[in-house]
Each structure stands twice: as C-alpha cells, then as structure tokens.
Amino acid sequence: GDNTNLQRGPNSGSHVTVPAKVPAVTADTISAGFDTTCVTRDGRVWCWGLGAYGILGSGSASNRHEPQEVAGLPGSIQTVAVGRYHACATN
C-alpha cells in the first residue's frame, strides 16, 4: 500500500507490496489511518506517519518516520483509533 508518509515504517519505500516489520515496536493493539499508524503496548501509545493537525500527539505537526511515544495521556490506554486527521485513545 501507499507509504508516502512512512506510516508503514522507516526504510520501506514509498509503496509497499509485502509486509514490513516496524523496528522497535511490539504491540498489544494497532490502528492505521489514512497516513498515520498508532500502537498500544502496556498501557502506552506510540504513533508515526503524518503529523498534520497534531494527529501524532507530539505537540507539533511534524511527520515522524519512526514510532514516538505519546506523552501525557492519562491512565493506562487500552485502545487507540486513527482516522484521517485525528486519533482517539481510551483507558
């Protein structure tokens, strides 16, 4: 699929036709949106890909090509859902 914003992980090209392992990510749950991917692990959240509108929760609109932990979420996160320009988490 399309990997324009490296939402499928770093070093995997602009279009990916086979599964690719994302380095340093072990997930309990995963959610992929238009150009963004987020995972949960042990109650914490990591996101990468398109950063527009602050979707990655990093405090900026910069794209991230590798998973970055989302800081400041309350409690232990159980699920995350990613849309085109938003992400929601539940605890």
Side-chain angles (χ1 to χ4, degrees):
D2 180 48
N3 195 37
T4 303
N5 290 294
L6 297 178
Q7 65 271 21
R8 291 201 45 184
N11 305 318
S12 53
S14 62
H15 298 290
V16 181
T17 58
V18 296
K21 181 175 173 62
V22 177
V25 173
T26 303
D28 294 326
T29 67
I30 185 169
S31 180
F34 186 71
D35 278 332
T36 304
T37 303
C38 294
V39 300
T40 64
R41 177 69 178 167
D42 297 329
R44 298 171 13 209
V45 178
W46 286 264
C47 295
W48 64 98
L50 182 70
Y53 308 103
I55 188 173
L56 299 177
S58 64
S60 80
S62 298
N63 295 348
R64 302 281 184 215
H65 299 155
E66 295 185 357
Q68 177 177 354
E69 186 171 1
V70 178
L73 295 175
S76 179
I77 302 303
Q78 300 301 309
T79 61
V80 63
V82 179
R84 185 163 186 170
Y85 296 123
H86 66 280
C88 299
T90 61
N91 59 358

